[in-house]
Amino acid sequence: MKVALIHEHLAQDGGAEKVLKVFQEIYPKAPTYTLVYDKKKANKVFRNKDIRTSFIQKFPLGIRKYKWFLMFMPSAVESYDLTEYDLILSSSSAFSKGVITLPKTAHICYCHSPTRYLWSDTHSYVQELSYNRLIKKILPFYLTKLRLWDFSAAQRVDQFIANSKCVEKRINKYYRRSSKIIYPPVETKEFYISDKIGNYYLTGGRLVAYKRFDITVRAFSRLGIPLKVFGVGPEMEKLKEMAKDNVEFLGKVSEEELKKLYSQSIAFIHPQEEDFGITPIESMASGRPVIAYAAGGALETVKAGETGDFFEDQEWEALADKVIRFKPNQFNPQLIKEHALNFDTVRFKENIKNFVKNYYNKYINN
């Protein structure tokens, strides 16, 4: 079975890239096709892999400003020549699922979400763009055309895998397709329980608008309770402006430093609605409880009263009220850790290998 992997773009280091890393471990001989590859921003683990980029890579500013070339991305994905492969395994949150394959080739898509800015978040996406009014008025007309392509592209997939129940529902709603749920991989065994707990709460990740770190910063600035924020992103300066002295921005931290931050925190704050959400799992793998907004993947991964708690309204007041009432000593670090092991990378690998093998055998025998 000759396999090819398809990924959106290698220009950051997030949860989707962790999934790709494991796919490459499962299928070490498979090349990875991606729109663009930015070696400076992507994880170093990809530098010795067979990475094959689209024609956008060769455009002036194609790597650094790849988002400018949105209108070319469908054609770029369709240009991959995949005729020699028996199986395509795509990791998609937008364009990857749109590859064109031969009838003999099985295409399994691991879907992180139907394209957010075309479906579930389309209105907020346009509003939050830092473009002038003219572009914001024109853009929806192009998004309508792209939405039609996106639906059509989803019909090319032979089998979807969803990364959570909420994504399974979106795939069914927007693409009218069924899917199998396999939760993403988390290196839970790499994290540890500390015998020392600090006097701070922790939050972090990519500092982008939809992750709503502003809620956390506002809440803790009002409470005066120490908060540490890790990660970088376009929202950093805005968040710093609204923060009081009790909020500390750590920027990009090393893996070892992050493990220590998790293990010694009072609790991890997760204010956003994620399709799955890896950072809460990492916190629980460190034996620390999570205070999460009651929506999205957190409802599937955090167990109220056992591994954390929820706040219902996505407002800083609701979070502040929950923090005031939160009792971290009622949680058992070892039980929290054991729960997190359900999402370990080893389990993910087994689930993917078994599913792909069974589906491919069924596909070629039909």
Side-chain angles (χ1 to χ4, degrees):
M1 184 172 66
K2 197 168 185 181
V3 180
L5 306 175
I6 317 294
H7 189 69
E8 300 294 357
H9 49 72
L10 283 171
Q12 61 184 30
D13 189 19
E17 286 67 44
K18 289 182 172 65
V19 170
L20 175 62
K21 176 177 175 290
V22 177
F23 284 171
Q24 290 176 339
E25 291 172 358
I26 299 172
Y27 305 104
K29 295 181 180 179
T32 299
Y33 291 80
T34 188
L35 290 169
V36 295
Y37 176 30
D38 187 339
K39 292 184 178 180
K40 294 180 180 179
K41 293 184 178 180
N43 194 306
K44 293 180 180 179
V45 73
F46 298 116
R47 290 186 180 178
N48 63 343
K49 303 297 182 181
D50 183 358
I51 308 295
R52 304 181 186 183
T53 57
S54 75
F55 56 74
I56 295 176
Q57 181 90 5
K58 298 179 181 179
F59 283 2
L61 300 178
I63 300 175
R64 192 157 58 90
K65 299 291 184 180
Y66 66 91
K67 293 181 181 179
W68 289 2
F69 304 103
L70 182 68
M71 67 182 67
F72 295 100
M73 291 181 182
S75 295
V77 166
E78 291 177 348
S79 71
Y80 302 151
D81 183 358
L82 305 173
T83 54
E84 63 182 290
Y85 301 104
D86 304 303
L87 172 73
I88 303 301
L89 181 58
S90 61
S91 167
S92 180
S93 58
F95 298 97
S96 294
K97 64 182 172 290
V99 294
I100 296 174
T101 60
L102 293 178
K104 72 177 183 67
T105 306
H107 179 187
I108 299 174
C109 174
Y110 188 88
C111 186
H112 305 280
S113 175
T115 314
R116 278 178 169 270
Y117 57 82
L118 295 179
W119 303 102
S120 56
D121 298 351
T122 187
H123 297 294
S124 59
Y125 170 77
V126 175
Q127 292 172 2
E128 292 171 2
L129 284 174
S130 57
Y131 295 154
N132 62 48
R133 290 183 180 180
L134 179 61
I135 293 178
K136 286 188 176 184
K137 286 184 178 180
I138 296 173
L139 187 59
F141 294 97
Y142 177 69
L143 293 183
T144 296
K145 183 177 180 181
L146 191 57
R147 196 174 292 114
L148 294 173
W149 179 89
D150 192 64
F151 179 83
S152 174
Q155 309 317 305
R156 303 172 192 173
V157 175
D158 294 306
Q159 176 64 52
F160 275 103
I161 301 174
N163 76 350
S164 62
K165 290 179 182 177
C166 65
V167 169
E168 177 194 35
K169 290 178 181 177
R170 285 188 216 149
I171 292 172
N172 182 262
K173 179 178 177 63
Y174 298 126
Y175 296 154
R176 299 292 188 256
R177 300 292 305 277
S178 61
S179 56
K180 163 75 174 178
I181 298 172
I182 298 180
Y183 291 118
V186 185
E187 296 286 356
T188 57
K189 294 177 182 178
E190 296 294 318
F191 296 86
Y192 59 88
I193 297 174
S194 175
D195 55 5
K196 175 186 175 183
I197 302 300
N199 69 334
Y200 64 90
Y201 285 78
L202 183 68
T203 195
R206 286 188 298 118
L207 304 184
V208 292
Y210 89 87
K211 290 182 180 284
R212 300 306 309 273
F213 290 115
D214 60 304
I215 292 174
T216 308
V217 171
R218 289 185 190 280
F220 279 83
S221 293
R222 295 295 183 99
L223 294 173
I225 297 173
L227 172 72
K228 293 181 184 291
V229 183
F230 66 84
V232 296
E235 291 292 295
M236 176 175 276
E237 292 307 315
K238 187 184 295 185
L239 294 171
K240 285 183 176 180
E241 288 176 4
M242 67 178 67
K244 300 290 183 162
D245 292 341
N246 59 297
V247 179
E248 181 182 2
F249 291 86
L250 305 173
K252 190 173 183 178
V253 299
S254 67
E255 291 185 6
E256 290 306 313
E257 188 177 356
L258 181 59
K259 292 172 188 175
K260 183 178 179 181
L261 285 167
Y262 277 128
S263 66
Q264 295 185 2
S265 67
I266 297 171
F268 183 78
I269 310 298
H270 184 70
Q272 65 264 37
E273 179 178 354
E274 292 278 17
D275 305 321
F276 176 69
I278 288 179
T279 49
I281 306 294
E282 293 176 339
S283 176
M284 291 187 288
S286 307
R288 304 314 305 154
V290 176
I291 300 176
Y293 172 50
L299 292 173
E300 302 171 51
T301 60
V302 179
K303 300 177 71 175
E306 296 182 31
T307 69
D309 214 340
F310 296 101
F311 62 99
E312 299 295 328
D313 299 317
Q314 203 175 28
E315 304 289 344
W316 73 262
E317 296 91 342
L319 173 57
D321 182 69
K322 179 59 64 176
V323 172
I324 291 171
R325 300 171 186 273
F326 191 67
K327 297 179 181 179
N329 292 333
Q330 76 178 32
F331 297 94
N332 184 319
Q334 194 58 51
L335 290 179
I336 296 175
K337 172 81 173 184
E338 289 175 8
H339 172 68
L341 293 177
N342 290 316
F343 306 96
D344 189 70
T345 299
V346 172
R347 179 167 296 190
F348 175 79
K349 280 186 176 181
E350 292 174 353
N351 289 337
I352 288 293
K353 284 192 289 187
N354 290 336
F355 182 84
V356 169
K357 180 181 178 182
N358 292 335
Y359 181 81
Y360 180 73
N361 288 337
K362 178 181 176 182
Y363 185 86
I364 61 175
N365 290 323
N366 282 343

